[in-house]
Every structure is written in structure tokens, then in C-alpha cells.
Amino acid sequence: MRIGMTCAVAATLNGLLTGGAAGTIEFAPPGLHQSGHNSSAVRFVDLNGDGRLDIATANRQSNDVTLMFFVPPFGFSQPVSHPTGEFPRSLDVADINGDGNPDLLTSNWNSGTVSILLGDGMGGLAPALHIATGPRPSFATFFDMNGDGAPDFAVADSSLNQVMAYRNDGSGAFSLHATFAVSSEPRWIEPCDVDGDNDLDLIVANRIADKVTVHRNTNGAGFFLPGQVIDTVGSRPRSLAVDDLDGDGDDDLAVANFGSGDIVVYENVAGLFEERFRAISGQSPHEIDIADLNNDGELDVIVTNVSAGDTRAFAGIGNFNFLLPAPIVTLSNPSGFDLGDIDLDGDLDIVTGHSALVLAVARNVSEPTSRPGDFNQNGLVDGADLAVLLGAWGESESIADINGDGIVNGGDLAMLLANWGDGD
């Protein structure tokens, strides 16, 4: 039996569409794999250069990262442990020294450090290099703050309520470059060119303050100034994701709120984020991402819900509209997750970390979803579909009733025109 979601276009409420059977995102039942203790973050990465995705996890209780190597046709090796600092909460991957091999970065909550583990390209990691930060580093991420092509990193400290940016000299050696204040208890940093000036700004989720703050990179120099404060986001914002949801060339924003159990999606309008969608996700949403799971040309929103014990996908249908979510992976206490094409079939599979010594890996078996208004299902919303809609104008029972309000009218025409073309 497959775990999946099947929903349809019907009545719209705050961007949320409900209904029956227009689009499908499906994942096969997950395979379970041994991991470290309490995997707080997980990443797909090719660690040994064989062209297949392996898995790296950061494990809070065992104070290490574990590596699991791909084993055909769809398996993974037993975990190999590499020590980090105490209580690693986040994990990121980049080639920091230009040798072509992926290196790892963890933020270590109990030791006031980040750990950098250099990869050798054959599946091995050098002993961790520890860099002192603030007393409670909750999150660290690689990004290129000054445009020199070398990955720098930023770390959020939940005790000092600040973010510190460390500069890479190009060889993989880091020094503190800038520090700036944020709101109370930052838990996530998302690099993003908010204002379209070709440098990376930083967006921060501040858990206790119930705010998301935007910090603009000054002339690409890696010094950050206060920008927009989003103070209506919800309760306990826990994680962020960015991508171009409306195809206008700039990144929009999705937020997972741990306290209020919802997600919020914002459109980037000339460098300012405006709310477009809000919906209940499940109990205690933890991590969020944006990706096209069913290859229909529309971006979907994926979120893990700790207390609900599942990972859910909101299928995107364009214009900041999403279908009702349903679990794609169900297993207790999910935390971090990642997406990647493990089986090389052209779609994104998923790995989720859990509080027990387990990872869940599930294959994506979705089929592309027809675009709303593509009545003849030729992959285009075009004149032929418009003719169908106009021919059914005023009818109460018709395929052309896209929004399911019981009549073919201007609302359906607006949705058809919003999806005009092939979605590229």
C-alpha cells in the first residue's frame, strides 16, 4: 500500500484548495535504516564520488555525524560515525577548500562551537576542526557572503540573540567577519538574495520572539543591516525555505511555525515579503522545504511535524495556491529531512531523521499532475482549453468548474489564465 496524497481543485480559502482527485504526490513505504542517536539534521550528498547520493546525519545524543553509503539498488550501508562537538543541531555541506570534495559543518549547542569535517572524496572525513562561537550555536549554514566563490558560513546563537558571519580565506580557513543582533532565540538562517542586488542576504527565524527578520548584505561586503521584520508570522517560527514560487525571478519565502502548527508562504514583492498563503500543517512543524515533487512544473511545500509523527506535502498548483496536505512519510518524531534523486529516475526521493536510532528513506513514485485548466491534458493551458471553458459558461456541472464553486464563471477563467502556457 502506498503512502500518498490525492487532492483536487475545489473551493478556495486563504489560498488552500480542497477536494477529490486532480493531483497526486505519492511515496512508497519507507525503508528504515540504523543511524546515530537522535538525528537532528540529515543531508543527501555524494561522499565517495560514485555519482550516487549517500546520507550524512548530525546526531544530538551521540555527538557525531554518521555517514551511510548508497548500496544498489536502493539501500544504504551501516552508519560510520565521526565525532563532532556536543549536541550537534544542524548540518550543512559545501566544498570549502576547492578540492572538489564535500565538507561538513555542524553547530554544536552544548560546546559553543561549530565543527568542520573535511571530506577526502572517497567517503572519509578528517577529524573535526572546532571553531569557537557563542555559547549556544543553534544553527549554521554555508553561503558566499562576499561573492568570491568560497563558501563562508553564518551561525545563529540563541543565547546571545545574534548571528555571526565567518569569512573563508579561500583555503578553508575561517575568521570572524561580522556580528549582528537579531530577535530572541534565532533557530534558522536562510541565505537569499532578497532585493535582487546579486548578493546573499540572510533571513532569520527567531523562535521566542515570534518573528522572522531580514538582514541585507551591504554592497556584497558581508556586513548586514536590518531589513524587514515579519512579526505576524505565527508562534515559534522554527525553519525557513526560499524558492521562486511564482516564476518572477526572485525568491519567495515559506515558514514553519512550531508553536502554532502552521506554515505561511510569502511572496517577494520588490524585496518585501507579503503573505499569500497560511494553513495548518500538523502538530509541531519542524523543518520545511520547497521542491517540485511530482514534476508538474509547480513547486510544492514539504514539512515535518514532530508531534504529529509525519512528513507532509502541500502540492502547489500555481499562483500561491496549494492542495490540502496528507502524510507522505509516517514515522514518529521526525525532525530534519532532505530531498534527492536516489534511484536516478528523475524525481526527488526523501530521507527523514527521527529521535530513535533510525532514518526513513522513501522513494518518490508520483506521477505528474495536470495543470488546472488543462482540460485536454496535453501539458498546455491554451486556446483549446479556453474554448472548453467559454463553451461551458454558466453551467453548474462541468469539468470547466476549476475552483469547484458550482458554476463556470469568472473565477474559473481567472485560474485558467493564471496557468496559461506550459508552466515553464
Side-chain angles (χ1 to χ4, degrees), residues 61 102 136 274 300 358:
Q61 298 301 322
R136 289 294 189 195
E274 298 182 4
D300 314 306
V358 66

Side-chain angles (χ1 to χ4, degrees), residues 406-418:
I407 187 170
V408 180
N409 56 17
D412 305 300
L413 178 60
M415 291 191 69
L416 183 144
L417 294 176

Side-chain angles (χ1 to χ4, degrees), residues 344-406:
L344 303 182
D345 65 350
D347 53 26
L348 295 172
D349 309 302
I350 190 168
V351 57
T352 56
H354 299 264
S355 60
L357 296 166
V358 66
L359 291 179
V361 181
R363 293 180 59 241
N364 188 340
V365 293
S366 304
E367 296 182 359
T369 302
S370 297
R371 293 171 60 76
D374 182 16
F375 305 125
N376 57 11
Q377 298 187 4
N378 67 349
L380 293 171
V381 178
D382 55 16
D385 303 300
L386 178 59
V388 171
L389 188 145
L390 295 178
W393 196 268
E395 293 182 5
S396 59
E397 294 184 9
S398 171
I399 189 176
D401 182 15
I402 301 175
N403 62 11
D405 64 355

Side-chain angles (χ1 to χ4, degrees), residues 145-147 152 167 177-178 199-200 217-224:
M145 66 179 165
N146 54 6
D152 312 299
R167 180 179 177 273
H177 177 75
D199 56 36
L200 289 175
N217 193 339
T218 308
N219 299 319
F223 295 100
F224 297 87

Side-chain angles (χ1 to χ4, degrees), residues 130-173:
H130 306 298
I131 300 175
T133 62
R136 289 294 189 195
S138 56
F139 189 86
T141 185
F142 286 121
F143 77 118
D144 183 2
M145 66 179 165
N146 54 6
D148 64 357
D152 312 299
F153 73 84
V155 57
D157 188 275
S158 290
S159 173
L160 301 176
N161 297 325
Q162 66 183 23
V163 170
M164 294 155 282
Y166 288 76
R167 180 179 177 273
N168 185 344
D169 68 1
S171 70

Side-chain angles (χ1 to χ4, degrees), residues 58 72 175 292 342 422:
S175 59
D292 183 0
I342 302 175
D422 61 4

Side-chain angles (χ1 to χ4, degrees), residues 182-351:
V182 296
S183 294
S184 180
E185 198 172 309
R187 282 296 184 94
W188 194 279
I189 306 171
E190 192 70 22
C192 172
D193 183 8
V194 173
D195 48 8
D197 62 354
N198 297 314
D199 56 36
L200 289 175
D201 313 301
L202 297 177
I203 310 174
V204 181
N206 303 280
R207 181 176 176 269
I208 297 300
D210 293 340
K211 295 179 181 179
V212 171
T213 52
V214 179
H215 306 268
R216 297 179 184 272
N217 193 339
T218 308
N219 299 319
F223 295 100
F224 297 87
L225 295 177
Q228 182 183 10
V229 177
I230 306 173
D231 56 8
T232 58
V233 61
S235 173
R236 303 297 190 260
R238 176 61 181 79
S239 62
L240 310 170
V242 296
D243 211 324
D244 185 6
L245 283 160
D246 54 357
D248 64 353
D250 54 28
D251 280 336
D252 307 300
L253 173 67
V255 183
N257 294 308
F258 189 89
S260 48
D262 58 0
I263 68 165
V264 189
V265 176
Y266 297 86
E267 181 184 3
N268 186 336
V269 181
L272 296 175
F273 292 104
E274 298 182 4
E275 183 178 332
R276 292 290 180 263
F277 174 83
R278 183 185 296 261
I280 296 298
S281 166
Q283 292 177 291
S284 310
H286 183 275
E287 187 165 325
I288 195 168
D289 202 0
I290 302 171
D292 183 0
L293 293 180
N294 55 1
N295 290 326
D296 65 349
E298 299 291 352
L299 291 172
D300 314 306
V301 175
I302 307 96
V303 61
T304 53
N305 299 293
V306 177
S307 298
D310 59 35
T311 301
R312 303 183 186 190
F314 291 77
I317 61 171
N319 199 30
F320 296 98
N321 290 312
F322 298 86
L323 304 182
L324 281 173
I328 56 175
V329 176
T330 301
L331 192 65
S332 63
N333 297 312
S335 52
F337 73 97
D338 202 11
L339 301 165
D341 187 3
I342 302 175
D343 50 4
L344 303 182
D345 65 350
D347 53 26
L348 295 172
D349 309 302
I350 190 168
V351 57

